[in-house]
Amino acid sequence: MTQELSEKDLLRMEVEQLQKEVKNSRVPISQTGKEIKDYVEAQAGNDPLLKGIPEDKNPFREKGSCMIS
């Protein structure tokens, strides 16, 4: 698709994209990082990867063993 567009069209698209991006609000990474850290720590108690899944609710537990005789 980009081969079909002229250089002028590509530059116009780039300017339009930059105009959209300049309207986005900016937040310092120090603030965003703290918010992410707080959220992760608050949700850690509900995380099955950290807490583990009870055996009675684990859909992937082995239901029984297979014996070949």
Side-chain angles (χ1 to χ4, degrees):
M1 177 181 152
T2 57
Q3 295 174 352
E4 298 172 8
L5 298 174
S6 68
E7 185 177 349
K8 183 179 178 181
D9 291 334
L10 290 172
L11 290 172
R12 180 178 287 123
M13 288 172 54
E14 184 176 353
V15 168
E16 289 172 357
Q17 181 63 33
L18 290 172
Q19 287 173 339
K20 290 177 187 176
E21 290 178 15
V22 85
K23 294 177 184 176
N24 291 340
S25 62
R26 305 289 176 150
V27 180
I29 190 66
S30 57
Q31 178 184 348
T32 307
K34 182 182 180 319
E35 291 173 1
I36 292 172
K37 180 179 168 265
D38 292 343
Y39 175 80
V40 169
E41 288 175 350
Q43 299 299 319
N46 300 329
D47 191 338
L49 296 175
L50 297 175
K51 185 178 165 185
I53 300 173
E55 283 299 318
D56 59 336
K57 294 183 180 180
N58 185 355
F60 301 106
R61 72 176 182 274
E62 292 193 29
K63 296 185 178 18
S65 59
C66 178
M67 295 182 63
I68 301 175
S69 43

